Amino acid sequence: MPRPARLKLFSRPFCETPLYLVDHGENGPVRCNRCKAYMCPFMQFIEGGRRYQCGFCSCVNEVLFLGHIGSKMSLCQRHISLYVQLKHFSFHFMKGHNSSFAHREEREEPSAVRVGFITYHTVLHFFNVKSNLAQPQMMVVTDIGEVFVPLLDGFLVNYQESQSVIHNLLDQIPGMFADSNENEAVFAPVVQAGMEALKAAECPGKLFIFHSSLPTAEAPGKLKNRDDKRLLNTDKEKILFQPQTSVYEALAKDCVAHGCSVTLFLFPSQYVDVASLGLVPLLTGGTLYKYSNFQMHLDSQQFLNDLRSDVEKKIGFDAIMRVRTSTGFRATDFFGGVFMNNTTDVEMAALDCDKAVTVEFKHDDRLSEDSGALIQCAVLYTTIGGQRRLRIHNLGLNCSSQLADLYKSCETDALINFFAKSAFKAVLHQPLKVIREILVNQTAHMLACYRKNCASPSAASQLILPDSMKILPVYMNSLLKSCVLLSRPDTPTDERAFQRQLVMTMGVADSQLFFYPQFLPIHTLDVKSTALPAAVRCSESRLSEGGIFLLANGLNMFLWLGVSSPPELIQGIFNVPSFAHVSTDMTVLPEVGSPHSRQLRMIMGVIQQKRPYSMKLTIVKQREQPEMVFRQLLVEDRGLHGGSSYVDFLCCVHKEICQLLS
């Protein structure tokens, strides 16, 4: 009996070109009668085109849509949209718009976005910024236990129409509370107020919340300081990653139900319980930004870049996603900024271009090598202009009965993204030591299976890795040494919770850079070329006293200067005569105008491009204190507070493999 076929695991962008946007009329897009999969290139016409067989469930359907009764234009429109469904693997459907043609979607349609403003400490202040007012008007809500919106007309306004009143308000806010003695604040009632305002306006939307302290005021969602270092490396350490109260999960669930996404900008100077507060942006499809010990003169540009990027990014609201598969395997788990009330419908208050949903599939039946394994992902959402749309992606995977084919086509970056999210989800319930052991065992089992079934005979002392997975051990070791999975007394609890939540919504490219930073030798720059210098391995052995290195991981960027850095490079980059004159306080490189300065700034711009967070630049001098933080990101070396070097981890995995094979 032949072995069952196996899926070839890989990851790639679903759509690299603008999507076709089509209208299928009142009847909607063509779907299978049984499984409800949408017409796509995997459907097969039979009986001379009178019927088609669904590629997902094999149901035979009548081709009724070709005989649709209606105007010539509607029939033409139907044929065009059907053509798009059959020809393209990714496309959009409009819901409720009349259009007689299909076109590529290149940018979002213009819309009249409305904005509103609330300030808060222990009470809430709503502002009337109606366009016909000379001055903004404040209304105070003191009942934070039962939050309500005190005004509708004048709260959510068109920005262009009320621009002068809004600017007037923003100028006045700093002075309004300059003499306030309040040292406590609320948080959950603010989210509740924003959600109630969107409900009253009968529209989805997004809250931008700027917060700086632990919400200790008497109100729903009140929190206490529970930052206890004694829990590190104990079975109770998982408590530090769990929300302190059920209020925030219930609040997030309500937000998802009403299409309210929350993006949170945190400016903490001490513990604020990110594990609790961050749950709201995580579950509502928002973003969490954290600026620890924020200093205006150093960090304002990073914050403004993040704010501008978040306001401008493409976004869809009130989304529901359904993943369908062909026979033999099924979606079993979902990771990301999602909420699920059942096992199939993935609900998202919002979905933007920087978020990813990772799906785990379970192979529970025989797969056909002829037909392969089919996946269809359909997302119904509302655009920022109020148009309801359906985005559909179709993906076909090859199947093989040969394990060698499976390993040959495996993508390590996708594997690490999945393992990271699985592990970071597990920290809520399992001891970190157990999770680390599971990751090591999974790595050893994958490689032992390859050696046993696919590799040529070789000496037991030799470690055999498939070509497609040669970097798996270095990535896995980097994951094991992350501050989420490895307790370090010098890493704040909030930072660990912050990084955990970021990874849960990361795409493959972002998680790749996060776990293995890009490390570039700047002193080898060819100023006559626009190419980036070849990256080197993240190890102290690559550093040199006469070198300058740039390291970036998606959150931070470090420029490391060796004590013997060439003076001409120092002059060209910093406009100072020597290493000793370089200030480490700067977070933005000066515009010197030299070839080296222009080239380095270009490289930094290329690395920053398309990353969801603005990376803060830190200047690091060799043998000075800030170098300790930089060295923690040299992931191939032994960790300063524990964690194996890459070489030691290879030895550990090799030992595990030998035990499994014996």
Side-chain angles (χ1 to χ4, degrees), residues 75-148:
L75 184 59
C76 177
Q77 177 181 322
R78 192 85 164 156
H79 278 251
I80 292 174
S81 58
L82 176 61
Y83 169 79
V84 173
Q85 278 186 271
L86 290 172
K87 180 176 175 60
H88 297 276
F89 286 91
S90 296
F91 43 84
H92 258 139
F93 283 113
M94 291 189 293
K95 307 280 284 184
H97 265 238
N98 291 322
S99 173
S100 59
F101 59 90
H103 65 276
R104 289 191 184 275
E105 180 193 21
E106 297 183 351
R107 62 181 180 180
E108 188 66 68
E109 71 279 2
S111 63
V113 175
R114 290 181 287 170
V115 297
F117 298 88
I118 301 173
T119 59
Y120 63 96
H121 40 73
T122 56
V123 297
L124 307 181
H125 317 101
F126 290 77
F127 292 93
N128 186 344
V129 286
K130 199 170 183 178
S131 59
N132 59 1
L133 294 176
Q135 291 286 332
Q137 298 174 349
M138 178 195 290
M139 301 187 73
V140 181
V141 173
T142 57
D143 186 2
I144 52 179
E146 295 290 338
V147 176
F148 66 96

Side-chain angles (χ1 to χ4, degrees), residues 17-30:
T17 58
L19 299 183
Y20 271 96
L21 177 62
V22 297
D23 185 359
H24 227 319
E26 295 180 0
N27 294 330
V30 180

Side-chain angles (χ1 to χ4, degrees), residues 511-533:
S511 62
Q512 175 193 25
L513 183 66
F514 182 74
F515 289 111
Y516 196 95
Q518 193 167 9
F519 197 33
L520 304 177
I522 299 303
H523 55 279
T524 65
L525 271 180
D526 180 0
V527 295
K528 297 180 181 179
S529 171
T530 58
L532 271 64

Side-chain angles (χ1 to χ4, degrees), residues 614-651:
S614 176
M615 287 180 269
K616 180 180 178 178
L617 176 66
T618 302
I619 308 298
V620 178
K621 287 186 174 182
Q622 186 180 12
R623 298 173 191 162
E624 293 190 3
Q625 184 61 32
E627 192 181 25
M628 302 293 285
V629 179
F630 163 78
R631 287 182 181 272
Q632 288 180 359
L633 296 180
L634 300 179
V635 292
E636 292 202 20
D637 299 336
R638 184 186 299 274
L640 299 176
H641 300 284
S644 303
S645 68
Y646 170 52
V647 174
D648 289 343
F649 182 70
L650 277 180
C651 294

Side-chain angles (χ1 to χ4, degrees), residues 469-622:
M469 301 176 73
K470 287 190 180 298
I471 60 173
L472 176 64
V474 70
Y475 272 109
M476 187 62 76
N477 190 44
S478 300
L479 169 59
L480 289 166
K481 291 197 295 185
S482 69
C483 70
V484 177
L485 297 183
L486 189 63
S487 307
R488 298 199 295 253
D490 64 319
T491 305
T493 301
D494 275 344
E495 181 62 23
R496 299 177 70 196
F498 172 63
Q499 293 194 18
R500 175 192 168 271
Q501 295 194 2
L502 296 192
V503 170
M504 294 304 294
T505 60
M506 275 186 180
V508 171
D510 290 328
S511 62
Q512 175 193 25
L513 183 66
F514 182 74
F515 289 111
Y516 196 95
Q518 193 167 9
F519 197 33
L520 304 177
I522 299 303
H523 55 279
T524 65
L525 271 180
D526 180 0
V527 295
K528 297 180 181 179
S529 171
T530 58
L532 271 64
V536 297
R537 304 186 72 143
C538 287
S539 171
E540 182 182 357
S541 63
R542 303 296 172 138
L543 298 175
S544 61
E545 292 189 352
I548 297 177
F549 293 82
L550 182 69
L551 184 146
N553 73 341
L555 289 183
N556 298 285
M557 196 176 285
F558 295 89
L559 188 63
W560 183 90
L561 311 176
V563 292
S564 301
S565 299
E568 63 274 14
L569 270 180
I570 296 292
Q571 180 70 46
I573 296 173
F574 298 101
N575 199 28
V576 295
S578 69
F579 172 87
H581 292 83
V582 175
S583 170
T584 57
D585 289 336
M586 69 180 75
T587 56
V588 178
L589 290 181
E591 296 186 31
V592 177
S594 68
H596 281 104
S597 175
R598 288 194 298 268
Q599 190 78 342
L600 177 55
R601 291 165 62 86
M602 181 273 294
I603 290 172
M604 293 170 63
V606 169
I607 296 174
Q608 177 64 66
Q609 190 178 20
K610 294 184 179 180
R611 296 299 173 186
Y613 296 89
S614 176
M615 287 180 269
K616 180 180 178 178
L617 176 66
T618 302
I619 308 298
V620 178
K621 287 186 174 182
Q622 186 180 12

